[in-house]
Amino acid sequence: MHILIANDDGYLAPGLAALVQACEGLGQISVVAPEQNASGTSNALTLSRPLSVFLARGEHVKGFHVINGTPSDCVHLALTGLLPQRPDLVLSGINNGANMGDDTLYSGTVAAAMEGYLFGVPAIAFSQAEKGWGEIDAAAAAARAVIDQVLALGPLPAAGQTPFLLNVNIPNRADAARLPRVVTRLGRRHASEAVIRQTSPRGEVIYWIGPAGDAREAGEGTDFHAVAQGCVSITPLQVDLTDHASRSHWAGALATGAAV
Ligand code: MN
């Protein structure tokens, strides 16, 4: 088996090394990761300049392919020419902080996995619920437990078959690998906090994007609820943004031609 691992926190992030280490023994591992922290870059591709790749040499990162681009760039390059063969599985993470509810739309971690999924490769994104890398080795063990369960289901979807995309959030706990694993739906967050306005040392007005809002829809069945209950949350994702429920409303209101 050949596994491609990427992340959005950059190739030096402890969560990446921990995930790579946790996958030991599963087969051939290729790591392609951004040079810089690229959290919050969603599915962005770099189209305005070329991308460079170098092989990392330091401890814990030896042999990682490092790209001066986004998480999606990393997986895109890996699947379109950088790697000699198609991976059987794409993994992303482990992210420094939760990717629940609306986070999934902004997340580079989820996007890296999604890039694999869009190319037909099954993919799993892993995030720790709290920032700071607390109990990262336990989170990696929990990730490995999920991967082992997935692999035990049978052969992974091959090229031409329907892939899957799983979004996994893991509580920062020493017993993470033994916590109940529950399948959830995405919750929703309140709108972000207000932008933070400051004056730079050169007297310019500057702005920082504010922190994400708190959970708004966090009821039973959601990822927020599962993690708050001390469970590992596993949400199957899809990419269809169509609002199917309102199609007939908009057809009545706007359409001037028959459905095609
Ligand atoms: Mn991140």
PDB file of all heavy atoms in Angstrom, residues 241-260:
ATOM      1  N   LEU A 241     -22.112  21.302  -3.233  1.00  0.00           N
ATOM      2  CA  LEU A 241     -22.622  22.491  -2.535  1.00  0.00           C
ATOM      3  C   LEU A 241     -24.028  22.873  -3.002  1.00  0.00           C
ATOM      4  O   LEU A 241     -24.598  23.839  -2.501  1.00  0.00           O
ATOM      5  CB  LEU A 241     -21.680  23.677  -2.741  1.00  0.00           C
ATOM      6  CG  LEU A 241     -20.307  23.582  -2.073  1.00  0.00           C
ATOM      7  CD1 LEU A 241     -19.457  24.790  -2.460  1.00  0.00           C
ATOM      8  CD2 LEU A 241     -20.440  23.507  -0.570  1.00  0.00           C
ATOM      9  N   THR A 242     -24.587  22.159  -3.958  1.00  0.00           N
ATOM     10  CA  THR A 242     -25.924  22.480  -4.464  1.00  0.00           C
ATOM     11  C   THR A 242     -26.948  22.510  -3.335  1.00  0.00           C
ATOM     12  O   THR A 242     -26.995  21.597  -2.511  1.00  0.00           O
ATOM     13  CB  THR A 242     -26.368  21.407  -5.487  1.00  0.00           C
ATOM     14  OG1 THR A 242     -25.346  21.242  -6.451  1.00  0.00           O
ATOM     15  CG2 THR A 242     -27.680  21.805  -6.158  1.00  0.00           C
ATOM     16  N   ASP A 243     -27.783  23.543  -3.277  1.00  0.00           N
ATOM     17  CA  ASP A 243     -28.880  23.587  -2.324  1.00  0.00           C
ATOM     18  C   ASP A 243     -30.083  22.895  -2.978  1.00  0.00           C
ATOM     19  O   ASP A 243     -30.939  23.531  -3.581  1.00  0.00           O
ATOM     20  CB  ASP A 243     -29.202  25.044  -1.981  1.00  0.00           C
ATOM     21  CG  ASP A 243     -30.312  25.161  -0.947  1.00  0.00           C
ATOM     22  OD1 ASP A 243     -30.886  24.115  -0.557  1.00  0.00           O
ATOM     23  OD2 ASP A 243     -30.605  26.293  -0.538  1.00  0.00           O
ATOM     24  N   HIS A 244     -30.119  21.576  -2.846  1.00  0.00           N
ATOM     25  CA  HIS A 244     -31.150  20.795  -3.540  1.00  0.00           C
ATOM     26  C   HIS A 244     -32.552  21.206  -3.105  1.00  0.00           C
ATOM     27  O   HIS A 244     -33.473  21.262  -3.918  1.00  0.00           O
ATOM     28  CB  HIS A 244     -30.928  19.298  -3.298  1.00  0.00           C
ATOM     29  CG  HIS A 244     -29.686  18.782  -3.957  1.00  0.00           C
ATOM     30  ND1 HIS A 244     -29.627  18.458  -5.299  1.00  0.00           N
ATOM     31  CD2 HIS A 244     -28.440  18.564  -3.475  1.00  0.00           C
ATOM     32  CE1 HIS A 244     -28.407  18.055  -5.606  1.00  0.00           C
ATOM     33  NE2 HIS A 244     -27.664  18.107  -4.521  1.00  0.00           N
ATOM     34  N   ALA A 245     -32.722  21.519  -1.792  1.00  0.00           N
ATOM     35  CA  ALA A 245     -34.059  21.812  -1.268  1.00  0.00           C
ATOM     36  C   ALA A 245     -34.656  23.069  -1.903  1.00  0.00           C
ATOM     37  O   ALA A 245     -35.883  23.193  -1.994  1.00  0.00           O
ATOM     38  CB  ALA A 245     -33.995  21.956   0.250  1.00  0.00           C
ATOM     39  N   SER A 246     -33.817  24.024  -2.322  1.00  0.00           N
ATOM     40  CA  SER A 246     -34.369  25.276  -2.846  1.00  0.00           C
ATOM     41  C   SER A 246     -34.363  25.342  -4.364  1.00  0.00           C
ATOM     42  O   SER A 246     -34.720  26.374  -4.947  1.00  0.00           O
ATOM     43  CB  SER A 246     -33.598  26.474  -2.274  1.00  0.00           C
ATOM     44  OG  SER A 246     -32.350  26.594  -2.916  1.00  0.00           O
ATOM     45  N   ARG A 247     -33.996  24.279  -5.013  1.00  0.00           N
ATOM     46  CA  ARG A 247     -33.909  24.330  -6.478  1.00  0.00           C
ATOM     47  C   ARG A 247     -35.261  24.646  -7.109  1.00  0.00           C
ATOM     48  O   ARG A 247     -35.362  25.462  -8.026  1.00  0.00           O
ATOM     49  CB  ARG A 247     -33.340  23.021  -7.041  1.00  0.00           C
ATOM     50  CG  ARG A 247     -31.816  23.044  -7.154  1.00  0.00           C
ATOM     51  CD  ARG A 247     -31.252  21.675  -7.455  1.00  0.00           C
ATOM     52  NE  ARG A 247     -31.781  21.109  -8.684  1.00  0.00           N
ATOM     53  CZ  ARG A 247     -32.025  19.818  -8.865  1.00  0.00           C
ATOM     54  NH1 ARG A 247     -31.790  18.959  -7.892  1.00  0.00           N
ATOM     55  NH2 ARG A 247     -32.489  19.379 -10.006  1.00  0.00           N
ATOM     56  N   SER A 248     -36.338  23.996  -6.603  1.00  0.00           N
ATOM     57  CA  SER A 248     -37.639  24.214  -7.250  1.00  0.00           C
ATOM     58  C   SER A 248     -38.111  25.643  -6.980  1.00  0.00           C
ATOM     59  O   SER A 248     -38.718  26.277  -7.840  1.00  0.00           O
ATOM     60  CB  SER A 248     -38.663  23.175  -6.802  1.00  0.00           C
ATOM     61  OG  SER A 248     -38.824  23.255  -5.411  1.00  0.00           O
ATOM     62  N   HIS A 249     -37.832  26.191  -5.765  1.00  0.00           N
ATOM     63  CA  HIS A 249     -38.173  27.589  -5.473  1.00  0.00           C
ATOM     64  C   HIS A 249     -37.504  28.524  -6.480  1.00  0.00           C
ATOM     65  O   HIS A 249     -38.145  29.398  -7.079  1.00  0.00           O
ATOM     66  CB  HIS A 249     -37.744  27.962  -4.056  1.00  0.00           C
ATOM     67  CG  HIS A 249     -37.675  29.444  -3.832  1.00  0.00           C
ATOM     68  ND1 HIS A 249     -38.797  30.221  -3.708  1.00  0.00           N
ATOM     69  CD2 HIS A 249     -36.621  30.293  -3.753  1.00  0.00           C
ATOM     70  CE1 HIS A 249     -38.435  31.486  -3.550  1.00  0.00           C
ATOM     71  NE2 HIS A 249     -37.119  31.560  -3.573  1.00  0.00           N
ATOM     72  N   TRP A 250     -36.224  28.354  -6.686  1.00  0.00           N
ATOM     73  CA  TRP A 250     -35.485  29.247  -7.580  1.00  0.00           C
ATOM     74  C   TRP A 250     -35.873  29.013  -9.039  1.00  0.00           C
ATOM     75  O   TRP A 250     -35.867  29.953  -9.850  1.00  0.00           O
ATOM     76  CB  TRP A 250     -33.976  29.088  -7.383  1.00  0.00           C
ATOM     77  CG  TRP A 250     -33.552  29.701  -6.072  1.00  0.00           C
ATOM     78  CD1 TRP A 250     -33.097  29.046  -4.966  1.00  0.00           C
ATOM     79  CD2 TRP A 250     -33.594  31.088  -5.720  1.00  0.00           C
ATOM     80  NE1 TRP A 250     -32.854  29.928  -3.949  1.00  0.00           N
ATOM     81  CE2 TRP A 250     -33.140  31.187  -4.392  1.00  0.00           C
ATOM     82  CE3 TRP A 250     -33.972  32.248  -6.408  1.00  0.00           C
ATOM     83  CZ2 TRP A 250     -33.056  32.413  -3.730  1.00  0.00           C
ATOM     84  CZ3 TRP A 250     -33.875  33.463  -5.733  1.00  0.00           C
ATOM     85  CH2 TRP A 250     -33.433  33.545  -4.414  1.00  0.00           C
ATOM     86  N   ALA A 251     -36.236  27.775  -9.343  1.00  0.00           N
ATOM     87  CA  ALA A 251     -36.706  27.494 -10.701  1.00  0.00           C
ATOM     88  C   ALA A 251     -37.980  28.286 -10.980  1.00  0.00           C
ATOM     89  O   ALA A 251     -38.129  28.894 -12.038  1.00  0.00           O
ATOM     90  CB  ALA A 251     -36.934  26.001 -10.890  1.00  0.00           C
ATOM     91  N   GLY A 252     -38.907  28.311  -9.981  1.00  0.00           N
ATOM     92  CA  GLY A 252     -40.139  29.059 -10.148  1.00  0.00           C
ATOM     93  C   GLY A 252     -39.884  30.562 -10.209  1.00  0.00           C
ATOM     94  O   GLY A 252     -40.555  31.306 -10.925  1.00  0.00           O
ATOM     95  N   ALA A 253     -38.924  31.040  -9.440  1.00  0.00           N
ATOM     96  CA  ALA A 253     -38.678  32.469  -9.327  1.00  0.00           C
ATOM     97  C   ALA A 253     -37.829  33.023 -10.458  1.00  0.00           C
ATOM     98  O   ALA A 253     -38.038  34.161 -10.882  1.00  0.00           O
ATOM     99  CB  ALA A 253     -37.996  32.750  -7.988  1.00  0.00           C
ATOM    100  N   LEU A 254     -36.907  32.258 -10.952  1.00  0.00           N
ATOM    101  CA  LEU A 254     -35.884  32.828 -11.840  1.00  0.00           C
ATOM    102  C   LEU A 254     -35.804  32.204 -13.212  1.00  0.00           C
ATOM    103  O   LEU A 254     -35.356  32.854 -14.174  1.00  0.00           O
ATOM    104  CB  LEU A 254     -34.488  32.713 -11.189  1.00  0.00           C
ATOM    105  CG  LEU A 254     -34.284  33.429  -9.867  1.00  0.00           C
ATOM    106  CD1 LEU A 254     -32.870  33.179  -9.355  1.00  0.00           C
ATOM    107  CD2 LEU A 254     -34.526  34.934 -10.024  1.00  0.00           C
ATOM    108  N   ALA A 255     -36.199  30.933 -13.314  1.00  0.00           N
ATOM    109  CA  ALA A 255     -35.918  30.228 -14.567  1.00  0.00           C
ATOM    110  C   ALA A 255     -36.797  30.758 -15.706  1.00  0.00           C
ATOM    111  O   ALA A 255     -37.985  31.025 -15.508  1.00  0.00           O
ATOM    112  CB  ALA A 255     -36.125  28.727 -14.385  1.00  0.00           C
ATOM    113  N   THR A 256     -36.211  30.950 -16.858  1.00  0.00           N
ATOM    114  CA  THR A 256     -36.977  31.364 -18.029  1.00  0.00           C
ATOM    115  C   THR A 256     -36.973  30.279 -19.107  1.00  0.00           C
ATOM    116  O   THR A 256     -37.535  30.454 -20.181  1.00  0.00           O
ATOM    117  CB  THR A 256     -36.411  32.654 -18.631  1.00  0.00           C
ATOM    118  OG1 THR A 256     -35.039  32.448 -18.947  1.00  0.00           O
ATOM    119  CG2 THR A 256     -36.533  33.807 -17.653  1.00  0.00           C
ATOM    120  N   GLY A 257     -36.335  29.189 -18.819  1.00  0.00           N
ATOM    121  CA  GLY A 257     -36.312  28.064 -19.750  1.00  0.00           C
ATOM    122  C   GLY A 257     -36.640  26.789 -18.996  1.00  0.00           C
ATOM    123  O   GLY A 257     -36.624  26.760 -17.767  1.00  0.00           O
ATOM    124  N   ALA A 258     -36.982  25.750 -19.725  1.00  0.00           N
ATOM    125  CA  ALA A 258     -37.259  24.457 -19.099  1.00  0.00           C
ATOM    126  C   ALA A 258     -35.965  23.920 -18.496  1.00  0.00           C
ATOM    127  O   ALA A 258     -34.874  24.291 -18.907  1.00  0.00           O
ATOM    128  CB  ALA A 258     -37.810  23.503 -20.158  1.00  0.00           C
ATOM    129  N   ALA A 259     -36.137  23.077 -17.479  1.00  0.00           N
ATOM    130  CA  ALA A 259     -34.971  22.407 -16.885  1.00  0.00           C
ATOM    131  C   ALA A 259     -34.219  21.659 -17.961  1.00  0.00           C
ATOM    132  O   ALA A 259     -34.826  21.075 -18.854  1.00  0.00           O
ATOM    133  CB  ALA A 259     -35.420  21.468 -15.780  1.00  0.00           C
ATOM    134  N   VAL A 260     -32.899  21.704 -17.876  1.00  0.00           N
ATOM    135  CA  VAL A 260     -32.095  20.978 -18.874  1.00  0.00           C
ATOM    136  C   VAL A 260     -31.346  19.866 -18.164  1.00  0.00           C
ATOM    137  O   VAL A 260     -31.131  19.920 -16.967  1.00  0.00           O
ATOM    138  CB  VAL A 260     -31.112  21.911 -19.601  1.00  0.00           C
ATOM    139  CG1 VAL A 260     -31.871  22.836 -20.551  1.00  0.00           C
ATOM    140  CG2 VAL A 260     -30.287  22.737 -18.627  1.00  0.00           C
TER     141      VAL A 260
END
